[in-house]
Amino acid sequence: MRFLTTPFLVSALLLPFHAYAKPELAPAALLDFGSYEKVEEMTIYGDIQQDIIILAQNNTSESEADLFVIDDINEDIELNLVVVTVSLYNDLNDGLVMR
């Protein structure tokens, strides 16, 4: 039994892992402090009853950006539709925010 688990453990440790993190929600004021590169702007449509933050997080989860900012929120009550405009940014600060 021990003989079979050793190769499995070794192969699991040696295989490369690709960790993708979801972009984080950030306030627009954060962009004034540091260096950020705008990568993409998205318009997201969803159900008017859905939480706006969760809607934005779910639709930006495939992006390789570091953070997103909610630019605009509009509602169409007749169609039960919410329209959220978000901008995706890469953080060029290497984790440090300069003041």
Side-chain angles (χ1 to χ4, degrees), residues 3 8-9 13 17 22 29 34 63 66 74 77 84:
F3 177 73
F8 175 72
L9 290 174
L13 292 174
F17 287 89
K22 293 181 182 180
S63 175
D66 296 320
N74 291 309
I77 296 172
V84 181

Side-chain angles (χ1 to χ4, degrees), residues 2 4 8 21 23 39 46-47 52 67 81 92-93:
R2 184 173 276 195
L4 295 176
F8 175 72
V39 177
D47 184 10
I52 294 170
L67 54 98
L81 187 70
L92 303 177
N93 298 308

